[in-house]
Amino acid sequence: MQKKLSLFVASFALLSLSACGLLPEKTDETKNWSVTKLYAEAREEMAGGHYEAAVKLFERLESSYPFGTYATQAQMEIAYAHYKSQDQAQALAAVERFIKLHPNHPAADYMYYLRGLITFNDQIGFISAIYSQDPTERDPKATRESFAAFKALVDKFPNSKYAPDAIARMSYLVNAMAQYEVHVANYYFRRGAYLAALNRAQGAVADFTDAPAREEALFLMVRAYDKLDMPDLRDDARRVFLKNYPNSRFLNPNAKHQAWWNFWAKKAD
């Protein structure tokens, strides 16, 4: 019985192999496409939002025609397609590869800019649809990485057409880092760790002198000194606070205000 079963299994396997051999082989329709056709088709996929398909065509183009302007352009397009599909790791890898291969390319400044955008959108991407959660409540790692990327662009290509926008985003990111410190300070304050709250607020005031978050940091210093029973320092901090922010919203808890991060949440792309 065992022998018959083994014979049956072997026969079935042979028949399966034969059937597979009768099936027509899949053909790669892009195999003989010209470089211009590959590029045009890939761009069409990009325009339709089919980023995975576009990446495959650009990769085919680069492997089939590795030299020339089309291959270089394909490398940039691959990075952008990954960025649009929100694949941060692949997008960053493609950007770094391009910069390494073509450090003096005329469009190198754009790739530096794209590197900043990739991490910038990671910083605020989760709020782009709801506009309600302050992005500075998240870990500031992406904020620092995005700031460093934009700074690298501005330092290396100060006359780039992307530099003004990069500087504007850097300003946003500076305030995001300052506001993160204020969030931490508020966390400590709510839990009665007033000295720790004071130290974080002082750090925000000292390190981010032009950031809007400095207003709240100063106000928090006044409250922390009061809780620590340091009236002289409290009054000094209050004088500085009132001199700089005489109409502060923190003096009127019922006043409505627009969240500072909403502008970038709506603008980011």
Side-chain angles (χ1 to χ4, degrees), residues 120 123-138 172-173 175-176 179 183 212 216 249 257-268:
F120 184 85
Q123 164 69 13
I124 66 171
F126 290 105
I127 63 164
S128 61
I130 56 175
Y131 312 128
S132 60
Q133 180 187 359
D134 187 335
T136 61
E137 294 177 1
R138 301 173 57 201
Y172 164 92
L173 292 166
N175 193 57
Q179 193 67 53
H183 277 305
E216 186 175 359
R249 63 186 176 86
H257 66 283
Q258 182 177 3
W260 62 272
W261 67 89
N262 279 7
F263 170 75
W264 281 112
K266 295 175 182 178
K267 180 178 178 180

Side-chain angles (χ1 to χ4, degrees), residues 112-181:
Y112 275 81
Y113 177 66
L114 181 59
R115 181 168 61 182
L117 287 182
I118 292 165
T119 47
F120 184 85
N121 278 16
D122 180 68
Q123 164 69 13
I124 66 171
F126 290 105
I127 63 164
S128 61
I130 56 175
Y131 312 128
S132 60
Q133 180 187 359
D134 187 335
T136 61
E137 294 177 1
R138 301 173 57 201
D139 190 300
K141 180 175 180 290
T143 310
R144 292 192 295 267
E145 289 177 351
S146 187
F147 182 88
F150 286 126
K151 187 175 187 301
L153 164 66
V154 174
D155 289 346
K156 192 172 181 64
F157 306 99
N159 298 319
S160 168
K161 65 180 181 180
Y162 304 107
D165 187 69
I167 291 170
R169 291 175 190 266
M170 286 168 66
S171 178
Y172 164 92
L173 292 166
V174 164
N175 193 57
M177 288 185 278
Q179 193 67 53
Y180 177 78
E181 293 300 310

